[in-house]
């Protein structure tokens, strides 16, 4: 209470109340509010979106992390003495189920297990080779296993592992084995009741080479089948899911323990189209957020400087009346603190509303696909949970850092105002500061900006690059802007009176204007950048999933069936890739070196950290022409008839294979050795059959092969295909419609997120522009008053003000476009790893938008001045 | 009423030199001035003669390059900014040509300000009564922008007297006002000054105003000439003093 009675507290509150009411602090408040609101909503919204996306996409691996291994992780069953001895001797690094369970329990992480194997299953007289997927009761941890319990697949529900003694099978097995629900299926030594038809298996492999039909059994039943024998080829998957932070801790715990025969992965480390889209979206969201923060910070910097300038005369009066420096400090620091606190609170409120609004908007515009409608609801439940502490803390920190660091120097200057300023107004403003003083002036701001960037991106290099790049660009712009203004002046002398006056004004205020110009330019540049990258990201994603993207793969087509299949495809006008021959073979030697361990496997979705034993089979093919989406990086595609092979660059690097090396393959009983004549870059994200090794036709043409093809089929065509294939039961179909739909949905969500953030960044940009225009308002007021007094017509003044801002905006727009082009080129090349391109159409947008917007804001801001009577104007300013 | 003819303000060999673009300018040169309590004194002179510079040093807003200033026996030339502030708070009042009201405070709050700085609990009561004296009772809650120039200066006068200062410095108090308003403001100023017995140091180029003071001194090229007659020689200036 006693504090409230203190005069400086009373006066600070009084000043704040009046100034807020009179709108004198609006720009400062808006700048901080927007900074805080954009960080809060960006962090909250993009955090939610990311979480939702990851939840959505982790369903592709049915968990957050997977430990995959060919040998089971066992429970430790050792006598006590041995354990003690081991503990004594050294830290035992061997991964055990005990330690895994203990760690998971510690971190509150859910677990599930899977065992995968190929096996024959029998139903009466029929048999079929299938992929057995034995799952524990927790499966799936992410995503949904949807099973239909009626033969017509009319309904389906989300379930976990099948009950003991039952199995879920994929639909095609019904026709292959001529069975229906409730029938018995024999697997190994055990019999199971077919309880349901799996319509969606979250981690169903998206590889055209895993053609097996899936049968899901309960992991506790696997013993009864007696399928697990010494030498059986099995894959064990241990699935984990939990909170982001806990999963990160689990990552840290697991990574050092994972050995060569084990793989530890998440969705992002999979080289799938989805992971790639996710990665880019995430980078974009963070980048956009960073740029938003920079813009908001610039707005705070400009506004706080103006705040200090506006209050200088009051401080001088206070001091002349005998207020001590301490008193002034207390008064104005409190005033600023209250103002910041108020603005931060308003910012948090607005940010929360914006984030919720964004989430709400997504709720309405979600690209809901009928097939995946149900999973959309789960997506929304994720969204509607509270935003969490991270965005809140980030936003408050942003507000505090902005309002402290960006205001500290202007505030210090403010409280140091000499009382003499009451007599000599010229002393205001502290003009004529030396360059080093100016550098010192900006130092706290730069440090703050760096801190903000680091805080938000948690990437040292990115923050540093953005900062240094920003400083360099600003310096260059400053110089360039002055030159441009000088040039425009000499052009202006040849044009009409309004233009002449406008350009003369521009140049006269060159120093102030070039600072304004830099911030206009930076604002426009950042906006252009966000728009350009957004549009190229979206078009890249769309290109990846064109309307006619293959949604069906035909696999295992026998040589004798090729003509029939081709004929059918032609007759039905189905869009299809060529038929590719697939011949299984092992790479056994590179030059004279026998391969000991490392080889590739195409079965694993092309993920590149897989390590397989000696002689793992590869799917090989032969072509006379280079397939689409393949680019020769080294060597040349064959034109002659010599035996040779073209190798994919990733595997070439891994195997250290160079042009000219001889590769030896074993195909059945035959051994062939061919030289590498080209190294190819393959777009693994294209939905078409892709191969590590492509041979020249002469090498493989005589080997027995099966064929695969990818097709784009419409729903009616799909029925025709099913009918057609019923005559060729050995041909397998892989339907990726559901997966494509899911991918489209994810990309749709990302796009909306990206647009939302764009809107926020545009707001921040506009605010910088407004704050800058406002900053020069008093000087303009004086000038307009003088011009009015000497008889300048209203229309001349209006036009000259408009044209001055238009010219300023156009110059800023042009410079922004050049700067944007450069930055986007670097970003696309290094950050997004996209095809680079030029965007001249956006240059025009930059210039026009710059001229239009800056002109409009300038004119609107000065409108009141321009329409005032001369007497009022003079009275206000004299 | 302060009837004791003590010396309230005294300068000795005051000089102010500034360096502008490598050139030394002698703004004040050997200024000796003594003002006794309750005296009203006008400093006149042409533009650039050093009137305002002198005023700012006398009031402790600025420091001399050499020489001595004593205000209420305090050696102002030896005090730092903070200590001079305290002297101003305790003894000095101001009226400026530009009024210098704080735009975001009402008339009442502007007047209360110095009293609050001096921890006077009756600030509001005093301010209301002073505003009534200057005829602004009806406008106490108006902001400066809502007041005319004359009204703003009346608020400034009320503000200057609220702490009953020992000495009041007025820098061209009517410089921004029309003739009629100027006369009214001058009446108010001298009436209140008489009422409170304040020492008044007035800087002006308005000779009519200067002649209402008991004593006139003239600044000429940074030097002080303390003669009644010199006032008459000074031509009437119409331009504003920078």
């Amino acid at each position: 209470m006693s504090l409230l009675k203190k005069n400086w507290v009373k006066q600070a509150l009084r000043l704040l109340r009046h100034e807020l009411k009179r709108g004198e602090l609006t720009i400062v408040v808006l700048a901080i509010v927007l900074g805080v609101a954009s960080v809060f909503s960006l962090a909250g919204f993009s955090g939610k979106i990311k979480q939702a996306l990851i939840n959505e996409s982790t369903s592709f691996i049915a968990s957050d992390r997977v430990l995959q291994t060919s040998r089971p992780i066992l429970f430790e069953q050792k006598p006590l003495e041995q354990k003690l001895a081991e503990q004594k001797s050294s830290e035992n690094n061997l991964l055990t189920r005990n330690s895994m369970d203990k760690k998971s329990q510690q971190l509150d992480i859910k677990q599930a297990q899977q065992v995968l194997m190929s096996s024959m299953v029998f139903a009466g007289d029929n048999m079929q080779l299938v992929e057995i997927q034995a799952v524990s009761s927790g499966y799936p941890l992410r995503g949904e296993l949807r099973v239909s319990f009626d033969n017509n697949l009319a309904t389906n529900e989300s379930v976990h592992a099948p009950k003991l003694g039952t199995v879920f099978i994929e639909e095609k097995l019904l026709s292959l084995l001529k069975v229906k629900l409730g029938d018995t299926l024999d697997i190994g030594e055990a019999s199971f009741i077919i309880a349901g038809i799996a319509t969606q298996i979250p981690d169903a492999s998206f590889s055209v080479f895993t053609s097996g039909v899936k049968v899901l059994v309960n992991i506790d039943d696997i013993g009864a089948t007696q399928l697990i024998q010494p030498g059986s080829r099995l894959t064990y998957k241990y699935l984990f899911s939990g909170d982001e932070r806990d999963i990160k801790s689990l990552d840290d715990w697991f990574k050092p323990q994972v050995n060569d025969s084990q793989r530890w992965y998440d969705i992002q480390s999979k080289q799938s189209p989805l992971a790639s889209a996710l990665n880019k979206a995430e980078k974009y969201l963070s980048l956009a957020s960073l740029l938003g923060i920079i813009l908001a910070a610039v707005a705070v910097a400009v506004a706080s400087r103006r705040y200090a300038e506006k209050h200088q005369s009051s401080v001088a009066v206070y001091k002349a009346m005998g207020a001590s420096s301490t008193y002034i400090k207390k008064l104005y620091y409190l005033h600023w603190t209250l103002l910041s606190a108020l603005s931060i609170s308003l910012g948090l409120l607005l940010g929360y509303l914006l984030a919720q609004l964004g989430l709400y908007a997504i709720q309405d515009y979600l690209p809901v696909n009928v097939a995946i409608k149900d999973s959309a609801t789960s997506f929304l439940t994720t969204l509607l949970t509270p935003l969490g502490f991270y965005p809140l803390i980030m936003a408050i920190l942003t507000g505090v850092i902005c309002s402290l660091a960006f205001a500290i120097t202007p505030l210090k200057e403010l409280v140091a105002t000499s009382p003499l300023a009451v007599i000599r107004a010229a002393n205001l403003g502290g003009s004529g500061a030396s360059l080093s003083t100016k550098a010192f002036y900006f130092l706290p701001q730069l440090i703050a900006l760096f801190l903000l960037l680091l805080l938000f991106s948690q990437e040292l290099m990115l923050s540093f690059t953005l900062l240094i790049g920003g400083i360099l660009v600003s310096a260059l712009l400053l110089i360039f802007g002055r030159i441009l203004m000088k040039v425009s002046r000499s052009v202006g002398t040849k044009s009409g009176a309004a233009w002449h006056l406008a350009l003369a004004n521009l140049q006269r205020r060159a120093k102030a204007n070039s600072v304004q110009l830099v911030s206009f330019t930076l604002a426009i540049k950042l906006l252009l950048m966000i728009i350009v990258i957004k549009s190229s990201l979206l078009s890249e994603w769309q290109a990846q999933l064109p309307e006619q993207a293959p949604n069906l793969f035909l696999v295992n087509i026998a040589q004798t069936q090729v003509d029939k299949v081709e004929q059918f495809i032609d007759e039905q006008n189905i869009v299809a890739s060529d038929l590719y021959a697939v011949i299984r073979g092992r790479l056994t030697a590179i030059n004279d070196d026998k391969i000991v361990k490392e080889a590739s496997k195409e079965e694993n979705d092309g993920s590149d950290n897989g390590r397989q034993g000696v002689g793992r089979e590869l799917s090989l093919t032969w072509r006379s022409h280079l397939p689409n989406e393949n680019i020769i990086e080294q060597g040349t595609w064959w034109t002659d008839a010599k035996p040779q092979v073209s190798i994919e660059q990733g595997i070439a690097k891994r195997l250290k294979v160079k042009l000219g090396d001889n590769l030896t393959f074993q195909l059945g009983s035959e051994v062939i050795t061919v030289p590498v004549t080209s190294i190819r870059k393959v777009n693994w994200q294209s939905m078409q059959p892709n191969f590590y090794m492509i041979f020249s036709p002469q090498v493989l043409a005589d080997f027995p092969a099966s064929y695969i093809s990818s097709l784009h089929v419409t729903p009616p065509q799909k029925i025709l295909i099913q009918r057609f294939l019923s005559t060729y039961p050995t041909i397998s179909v892989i339907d990726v419609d559901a997966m494509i739909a899911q991918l489209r949905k994810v990309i749709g969500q990302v796009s909306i997120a990206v647009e939302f953030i764009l809107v926020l960044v545009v707001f921040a940009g506009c605010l910088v522009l407004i704050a800058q225009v406002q900053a020069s308002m008093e000087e303009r007021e004086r000038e307009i008053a003088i011009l009015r007094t000497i008889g300048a017509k209203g229309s001349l003044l209006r036009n000259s003000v408009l044209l001055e801002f238009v010219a300023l905006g156009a110059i800023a727009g042009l410079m922004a476009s050049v700067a944007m082009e450069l930055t986007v080129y670097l970003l696309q090349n290094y950050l997004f790893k996209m095809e680079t391109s030029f965007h001249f159409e956006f240059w025009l947008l930059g210039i026009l938008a710059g001229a239009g917007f800056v002109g409009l804001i300038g004119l609107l801001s000065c409108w009141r001045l321009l329409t005032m009577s001369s007497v009022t104007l003079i009275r206000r300013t004299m | 009423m302060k009837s004791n003819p003590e010396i309230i303000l005294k300068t000795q060999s005051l000089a102010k030199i500034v360096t502008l673009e490598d050139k030394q300018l002698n703004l004040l040169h050997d200024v000796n001035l003594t003002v006794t309590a309750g005296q009203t004194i006008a400093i006149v002179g042409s533009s650039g003669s050093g009137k305002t510079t002198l005023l700012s040093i006398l009031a402790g807003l600025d420091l001399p390059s050499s020489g001595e200033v004593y205000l209420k026996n305090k050696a102002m030339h030896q005090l730092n900014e903070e200590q001079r502030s305290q002297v101003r708070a305790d003894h000095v009042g101001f009226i400026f040509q530009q009024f210098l009201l704080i735009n975001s405070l009402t008339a009442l709050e502007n007047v209360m300000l110095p009293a609050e700085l001096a921890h006077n609990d009756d600030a509001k009561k005093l301010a209301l009564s002073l505003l009534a004296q200057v005829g602004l009772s009806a406008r106490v809650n108006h902001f400066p922008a809502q007041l005319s120039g004359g009204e703003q200066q009346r608020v400034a006068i009320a503000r200057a007297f609220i702490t009953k200062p020992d000495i009041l410095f007025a820098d061209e108090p009517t410089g921004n006002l029309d003739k009629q308003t100027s006369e009214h403001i001058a009446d108010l100023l001298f009436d209140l000054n008489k009422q409170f017995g304040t020492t008044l140091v007035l800087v002006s180029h308005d000779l009519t105003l200067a002649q209402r003071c008991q004593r006139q001194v003239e600044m000429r090229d940074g030097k002080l000439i303390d003669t009644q007659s010199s006032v008459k020689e000074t031509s009437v200036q119409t331009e504003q003093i920078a």
Side-chain angles (χ1 to χ4, degrees), chain A residues 43 90 97 272 452 457 460 464 482 491 560 583 623 640 652 717 724-725 727 766 780 790 833 835 856:
Chain A
S90 70
R97 278 295 289 280
S272 69
L452 277 177
S457 70
L460 191 69
F464 197 67
R482 290 242 190 130
V491 174
T560 49
I583 299 136
R623 307 287 297 160
D640 54 21
Q717 284 174 332
F724 167 74
L725 290 178
T727 25
C766 292
R780 272 172 216 285
I790 59 171
K833 310 226 180 326
E835 295 280 308
L856 191 70

Side-chain angles (χ1 to χ4, degrees), chain A residues 7 10-11 14-15 17-19 22 24 311 313-327 332 418-424 875 878, chain B residues 27 52-53 55-56 61-62 81-82 85-86 88-89 94 96 98 100 102-106 109 112-114 116-117 119 143 145 148 159 171 176 242:
Chain A
N7 278 326
K10 272 198 267 179
Q11 284 170 356
R14 189 187 290 156
L15 273 178
R17 202 179 60 232
H18 287 320
E19 287 175 353
R22 289 157 53 84
E24 288 170 24
H311 284 90
S313 73
S314 300
V315 170
V317 170
Y318 266 102
K319 284 196 172 175
M321 304 280 160
S324 67
S325 289
T326 328
Y327 187 91
Y332 274 93
S418 160
L420 199 57
V422 291
I423 291 191
R424 295 186 203 285
R875 194 189 258 180
M878 291 299 135
Chain B
L27 296 183
T52 303
T53 307
L55 179 100
S56 60
L61 294 173
D62 202 0
E81 180 70 53
E82 285 306 282
S85 274
Q86 193 54 51
R88 285 199 299 274
F94 280 106
F96 304 104
Q98 318 274 3
L100 290 180
I102 292 175
N103 284 327
S104 38
L105 296 181
T106 60
E109 288 161 348
M112 282 162 66
L113 190 66
E116 284 182 338
L117 288 175
H119 304 287
F143 288 97
S148 72
R159 177 176 70 180
D171 180 22
N176 267 358

Side-chain angles (χ1 to χ4, degrees), chain A residues 144-157:
Chain A
E144 288 180 302
L145 168 65
R146 300 199 72 86
V147 172
S148 178
F149 294 99
D150 75 84
N151 278 308
N152 300 323
L153 304 176
T155 57
N156 60 35
E157 50 193 271

Side-chain angles (χ1 to χ4, degrees), chain A residues 731-788:
Chain A
I731 299 178
S732 300
V733 181
I734 300 170
D735 188 342
V736 290
D737 250 350
M739 180 190 161
I740 288 180
Q742 209 161 2
L743 196 57
R744 282 230 163 87
K745 183 178 140 202
V746 168
I747 286 175
Q749 288 161 353
V750 173
S751 314
I752 289 172
V754 160
E755 309 226 330
F756 174 77
I757 278 163
L758 176 72
V759 170
L760 274 187
V761 177
V762 167
F763 266 131
C766 292
L767 194 72
V768 172
L769 298 186
I770 294 172
Q772 264 307 4
V773 170
Q774 286 286 328
S776 66
M777 206 42 69
E778 266 136 49
E779 198 191 331
R780 272 172 216 285
E781 195 170 328
R782 228 166 299 140
E783 282 169 12
I784 292 173
I786 294 167
L787 287 169
R788 262 298 173 84

Side-chain angles (χ1 to χ4, degrees), chain B residues 178-197:
Chain B
D178 60 70
K179 194 163 178 268
Q180 206 179 349
T181 316
S182 292
E183 277 168 19
H184 183 52
I185 289 295
D187 289 345
L188 262 180
L189 175 62
F190 282 97
D191 286 352
L192 281 171
N193 193 60
K194 202 168 168 193
Q195 183 188 330
F196 288 99

